[in-house]
Each structure stands twice: as structure tokens, then as C-alpha cells.
Amino acid sequence: MKRYLWILAVVVLAATGAAWASSVSVTVSQWATDHAGDDSGLGFKLGLSATPNVDIEVRVAFFDMLLAEGPEVFEVEAFPVELGLSYNFRVSDKANPYVGGGVGYYELDAKGPELPGEFGWYLVGGIDVPISKNWLVFAEGLYRQVEAQAESDDLGRSLIKQELNLSGAAFNLGIGIRW
């Protein structure tokens, strides 16, 4: 149920955010975590130009097939909601390299143990290339730092806690529109 509330919140944010955003993008993302394998997911990015070179960004993505490793093996769904800043170097009209970072809340759900959402941070670097006056394609690399603790009951006898390090590299490919 929480996942659907988060999705609803993102849809509302996207619908209202398009009014104040200066860019909207759709991404395909690959995330390789330390303790939960890797997965591909779909994501969205809203950008708001704070200055000619600085953007405020809201990023969301959904990964549903991460597989936690350790004493207990279980599937993990992750829904990163991130807020950050990016600095655009704007070296030419043909390409725009950028770097940035920010904080995130990572809504987590596991099939089996209880896995609460966690806060973390991310760093990003990428390049976008205009393909027309308003449309662009981009590629970016991210590093996410997030750790969680799964808890499960061993048939009522004891509480099992398992540390889960979801930190790791991610790679996004996307298309966006900027106005």
C-alpha cells in the first residue's frame, strides 16, 4: 500500500511539477548494489533552473527485482526518491557535461522480512546532448549510498537482523525535454 501512495505522490508531483520545471526526462536505469545484486528500472527526472548553470533536480526510479544476499535470501523492491543539485558546465551547444549530488529517501519492500525505508545520498555525473531545439538525450553515472536492516521472525523463536548495503553504482540513459 505504501508503494502505491509513493507512486501517487510522484504522479501528482510530476503533473504539478511540469508547471514549474524547466525540464522533464524519462530514464532507463541500471543499479548494481553491494548486497542485493543489480536490476534495471524506469525513472523520471524533473529539473528546475535555479541559475543559468545550477539545476534543482527531483529524481525517482523503481527497481523490483533486487535479490538480497546473506544469511537469508529475499527479493527487494526499491523506490528511490532523490532531491539534489547539478552544476552544468555548458561548454558548447553540442554537449553539456554536468555533476551533482543530493539526498534521497529509499522506500524499500521485501518479500519476507520487514525492511523499512532509509535515507541516503547520491553523486551524479553525466552529459546531455541536444537532438533538437527542446529535446535532448543523456547518459549519466550515479553512486548511491544507502544501508538498511531487514528483520524477520524465525518462527516466533528469535528476531533475525540482516544488514543490507544497497550502496553502489548506477547508470542512466534517458530522453528529455527542456523549455
Side-chain angles (χ1 to χ4, degrees):
M1 179 65 176
K2 284 192 308 184
R3 177 175 16 135
Y4 297 113
L5 291 174
W6 274 105
I7 291 170
L8 178 62
V10 168
V11 168
V12 169
L13 176 66
T16 59
W20 54 264
S22 58
S23 66
V24 177
S25 303
V26 177
T27 66
V28 174
S29 184
Q30 176 73 24
W31 186 11
T33 70
D34 285 349
H35 290 154
D38 60 340
D39 189 24
S40 297
L42 185 62
F44 300 94
K45 179 170 68 167
L46 292 174
L48 171 66
S49 292
T51 71
N53 289 66
V54 176
D55 290 341
I56 300 169
E57 295 181 335
V58 177
R59 299 165 169 270
V60 296
F62 182 69
F63 302 93
D64 65 347
M65 293 298 291
L66 295 169
L67 188 63
E69 303 164 358
E72 192 173 343
V73 177
F74 52 89
E75 290 182 14
V76 175
E77 293 179 351
F79 187 64
V81 179
E82 298 163 324
L83 175 66
L85 297 173
S86 67
Y87 181 82
N88 300 288
F89 292 99
R90 304 216 191 278
V91 293
S92 77
D93 292 339
K94 297 184 192 298
N96 173 40
Y98 57 91
V99 295
V103 296
Y105 178 74
Y106 302 86
E107 178 65 34
L108 304 171
D109 191 21
K111 295 190 174 43
E114 183 178 325
L115 188 60
E118 295 291 338
F119 287 94
W121 54 268
Y122 74 95
L123 298 173
V124 64
I127 188 164
D128 63 47
V129 178
I131 55 176
S132 73
K133 181 180 178 199
N134 295 96
W135 289 90
L136 60 99
V137 294
F138 63 93
E140 58 188 20
L142 289 92
Y143 178 79
R144 289 186 173 108
Q145 174 67 40
V146 60
E147 296 177 5
Q149 185 176 57
E151 295 182 353
S152 62
D153 189 355
D154 183 20
L155 301 175
R157 293 185 294 249
S158 64
L159 187 65
I160 299 171
K161 294 184 178 184
Q162 180 173 327
E163 297 296 321
L164 184 61
N165 188 348
L166 296 172
S167 302
F171 183 74
N172 292 342
L173 290 175
I175 187 165
I177 186 167
R178 182 180 298 145
W179 53 89

